[in-house]
Amino acid sequence: MKDFFLSSKAITLLQLFKYIEYADESPTLKEIMLQFSHSKITAIRYLKEIQQDLTELDPQLKLVTADNQYSVVYPVGCSFGATIFKLRYTYIVRTTKFQVMDALFKNNFSSIQALSEAVNLSPSTIQNIIKSLKRYFQHFHVSISFRGNQNIVGDPLHIRILTVYTYSAIYRGGLSPDFVTNRSKYTLTVKDHLSFSQRHQIETLKAVTYFDLIQKKNIVNLTPKLRQLLTAVNTVNPITIELPGFSEQTLQDESLLLGSLLRLLVANYDTSADKTVIAQTILALDTDFTNDIQLLLRDFFITFKLEQTETHFFESFYYLAIALIYLEFISVDVTDFLEFSISTSAFKEENINADPVFKSLQEFLNDEAKIYPKLLNSTMGTMLNSLFFFLLDYNVQIKPLKINVQYTKNFYAANMIIKSLQDVFGPAITFIDRIDQADFIVSDSYENSETLKGDFFLFNNIFNPHDWSTLLSTVLQQVYGKTFYKTLNHDCVSKYH
């Protein structure tokens, strides 16, 4: 759904732009044709369109060719990161679907004819777009009507979720929705020292919330149970909305909702210590719902034989509680807007057998659903599968790469190598004396490596920076290949296998 407003051609153009940017060497026309299975005529046409689109963004931003190789030249103060979001936004706002939807959100039309005149599209075109938008809105339990004083019809909470996730997916990078409100007059109390992306997400949430309140008069009223839970979630780093003309209860509910949505949209608004405090506050509510979450998490730790350290348990509870509060009380499927879909094909491409882990997690959730049907009866299994995959990976201790170091040219070099690698890789590696038990062997000599199970690295000169760079890169590859996917490589004994 996050690409609902992008045509298939626009998606291809964005992929082509990324391919040119990320290629190890500037690709040739032939390489582009092969990569995208395009004919020569189509590839050239698409490249010209990208060139025109970039120039529209900035006359100094150019797609150039040299020796039949394509690359992008950025002016001072411009980067790929900023450009890709602007280019994506350009393709979205060109679409008639976006133009109609944006008009429906910002105004109220008495008929399709009135909307047709406002956006300069024929009534028949509008009708087809409305049909498509209705299917999109159905995911949020929201509909479109021309019979009342609002075209966007539904529970105010569902409309808010629709607006937040839709506009957050469209206005990315440094772009913000242009809702016309006088929100700049009013402050929004948030924590200090936020990143640019965190502030941008807050601005999007603020723009949507203030527009709904000031212009559309759509007020969200939380149920007592949800209010109690969100109050606990916002016990640390609360966000406070200050607007005249609204009741204290309304502003409290709106502040709680905004703060909770921010935690779903933005990573690490809360520190590790904050998450522990929030988890403890939620647990202190001592309700059937929160107690069931705690018992579910304990079952998870016991089933997969995970070490229940206080920090990991409370942080795991924090993530699980926030997800289940959303699924239980808001229950709008937004999984297609966020990265909740685990692609097993990516593991298979690397010859990693992930099936046992995914099967174990699914069987665990199926069994727990019989015990906690109210928690795990959601149709949004994708979010839960992804979350429990994360919780398993997060709580399994990494198996450090076992390294043996041998050096013959002087008596202190081996210790220098050990200390330097430990400084860089920390607990991801460990050093052992028995070379026959090592995963990785570093030596300046011949160790008859064919008879050893560990991979061998010939380290020629400790005073050569290039040799150090090569060693660090090689160790990184060893750590990644042998221990990084700790969930998949760990001997995780469970009742399922």
Side-chain angles (χ1 to χ4, degrees):
M1 286 191 292
K2 62 185 176 182
D3 291 333
F4 174 77
F5 296 97
L6 284 172
S7 66
S8 57
K9 179 182 177 182
I11 292 173
T12 301
L13 291 176
L14 290 170
Q15 291 173 340
L16 176 52
F17 179 58
K18 290 178 182 179
Y19 174 68
I20 294 170
E21 176 68 22
Y22 289 131
D24 293 332
E25 294 184 6
S26 298
T28 63
L29 178 61
K30 185 176 181 179
E31 289 169 337
I32 292 171
M33 291 164 57
L34 290 172
Q35 177 70 21
F36 292 90
S37 300
H38 287 332
S39 66
K40 184 176 182 179
I41 294 175
T42 300
I44 291 174
R45 186 174 77 250
Y46 280 10
L47 288 165
K48 285 184 177 179
E49 287 190 32
I50 291 176
Q51 188 174 38
Q52 292 171 356
D53 294 333
L54 292 176
T55 302
E56 287 182 15
L57 293 178
D58 188 323
Q60 302 302 314
L61 182 59
K62 297 178 180 178
L63 176 66
V64 298
T65 56
D67 298 327
N68 197 34
Q69 291 178 301
Y70 289 82
S71 61
V72 180
V73 176
Y74 298 94
V76 176
C78 183
S79 66
F80 168 76
T83 304
I84 189 67
F85 290 121
K86 290 179 181 178
L87 196 60
R88 183 177 183 275
Y89 172 74
T90 297
Y91 292 149
I92 289 174
V93 297
R94 284 178 183 173
T95 65
T96 54
K97 283 195 294 189
F98 171 80
Q99 293 164 17
V100 171
M101 183 206 70
D102 201 45
L104 288 171
F105 270 117
K106 294 177 180 177
N107 304 281
N108 188 60
F109 300 94
S110 59
S111 65
I112 286 181
Q113 182 63 41
L115 175 58
S116 169
E117 293 172 0
V119 296
N120 198 27
L121 294 169
S122 69
S124 60
T125 299
I126 294 290
Q127 287 178 332
N128 288 330
I129 294 170
I130 292 293
K131 287 180 183 178
S132 179
L133 288 174
K134 281 183 175 180
R135 289 192 294 271
Y136 174 74
F137 284 12
Q138 281 177 355
H139 291 284
F140 299 85
H141 317 302
V142 173
S143 61
I144 299 173
S145 174
F146 293 90
R147 296 179 180 177
N149 56 1
Q150 296 282 1
N151 294 135
I152 312 296
V153 180
D155 185 310
L157 178 57
H158 293 158
I159 295 174
R160 183 71 54 80
I161 300 298
L162 163 64
T163 316
V164 165
Y165 277 93
T166 298
Y167 280 87
S168 293
I170 294 170
Y171 291 87
R172 302 172 64 187
L175 301 164
S176 296
D178 56 344
F179 290 123
V180 180
T181 66
N182 52 355
R183 67 182 187 276
S184 59
K185 292 183 179 180
Y186 308 111
T187 60
L188 185 69
T189 305
V190 297
K191 64 183 285 188
D192 296 327
H193 309 299
L194 296 173
S195 69
F196 179 88
S197 63
Q198 287 173 320
R199 290 195 177 279
H200 178 261
Q201 290 288 59
I202 290 174
E203 281 302 311
T204 301
L205 282 166
K206 179 182 176 182
V208 169
T209 300
Y210 281 33
F211 180 76
D212 251 5
L213 291 173
I214 297 171
Q215 302 297 114
K216 306 294 281 187
K217 309 300 181 185
N218 286 331
I219 296 172
V220 173
N221 294 308
L222 304 180
T223 64
K225 285 185 178 180
L226 182 55
R227 185 180 298 129
Q228 181 188 40
L229 289 165
L230 296 191
T231 299
V233 171
N234 286 275
T235 191
V236 178
N237 303 320
I239 291 180
T240 305
I241 295 174
E242 299 176 7
L243 281 175
F246 295 92
S247 69
E248 183 179 342
Q249 186 65 70
T250 293
L251 293 179
Q252 179 193 11
D253 284 357
E254 291 287 354
S255 298
L256 292 175
L257 178 62
L258 195 152
S260 300
L261 289 177
L262 175 63
R263 288 170 168 88
L264 284 166
L265 287 164
V266 179
N268 290 330
Y269 184 71
D270 301 309
T271 66
S272 179
D274 294 337
K275 291 169 187 173
T276 296
V277 172
I278 292 170
Q280 291 171 330
T281 305
I282 296 173
L283 282 167
L285 296 177
D286 194 23
T287 66
D288 290 343
F289 178 73
T290 57
N291 290 340
D292 281 352
I293 296 175
Q294 181 183 21
L295 292 172
L296 170 63
L297 186 61
R298 290 204 183 279
D299 287 350
F300 175 72
F301 271 75
I302 292 169
T303 297
F304 290 95
K305 300 189 182 301
L306 305 171
E307 185 181 355
Q308 293 189 37
T309 64
E310 183 176 277
T311 298
H312 274 218
F313 187 84
F314 281 132
E315 287 201 30
S316 298
F317 182 87
Y318 167 92
Y319 288 113
L320 184 57
I322 286 177
L324 289 175
I325 288 170
Y326 180 87
L327 294 176
E328 175 71 17
F329 294 93
I330 299 177
S331 192
V332 174
D333 190 350
V334 294
T335 52
D336 287 341
F337 284 93
L338 304 170
E339 193 174 30
F340 287 133
S341 179
I342 304 170
S343 175
T344 56
S345 61
F347 291 106
K348 291 176 181 177
E349 287 174 5
E350 299 295 329
N351 292 320
I352 297 174
N353 183 17
D355 291 341
V357 172
F358 294 128
K359 182 180 178 182
S360 294
L361 285 170
Q362 190 58 58
E363 289 176 345
F364 167 78
L365 290 173
N366 290 341
D367 285 354
E368 294 297 302
K370 300 171 186 175
I371 305 172
Y372 309 106
K374 291 183 179 180
L375 288 184
L376 301 176
N377 66 352
S378 172
T379 57
M380 284 175 275
T382 304
M383 181 186 287
L384 288 176
N385 289 342
S386 174
L387 177 62
F388 275 96
F389 179 86
F390 154 72
L391 292 176
L392 182 59
D393 188 76
Y394 176 66
N395 287 291
V396 171
Q397 298 299 309
I398 191 171
K399 279 185 169 182
L401 183 76
K402 293 180 289 187
I403 301 176
N404 178 270
V405 178
Q406 303 294 324
Y407 206 85
T408 63
K409 294 177 183 176
N410 65 52
F411 64 90
Y412 55 79
N415 200 57
M416 176 191 290
I417 295 168
I418 291 171
K419 177 65 166 58
S420 298
L421 291 178
Q422 196 76 70
D423 287 344
V424 174
F425 294 99
I429 61 174
T430 190
F431 295 91
I432 62 173
D433 294 328
R434 288 190 53 174
I435 194 170
D436 60 314
Q437 295 180 356
D439 300 312
F440 184 61
I441 301 159
V442 180
S443 177
D444 68 334
S445 186
Y446 175 67
E447 303 295 349
N448 193 18
S449 58
E450 290 79 2
T451 66
L452 299 171
K453 68 173 186 176
D455 293 322
F456 181 80
F457 179 84
L458 182 62
F459 193 9
N460 290 315
N461 188 346
I462 61 169
F463 300 107
N464 186 329
H466 179 265
D467 286 358
W468 277 105
S469 177
T470 305
L471 174 62
L472 292 175
S473 298
T474 306
V475 173
L476 178 61
Q477 289 299 317
Q478 290 281 322
V479 169
Y480 176 80
K482 293 181 177 178
T483 66
F484 181 74
Y485 279 116
K486 47 191 176 292
T487 300
L488 305 180
N489 292 310
H490 183 77
D491 297 327
C492 194
V493 180
S494 76
K495 67 180 181 180
Y496 301 117
H497 54 83

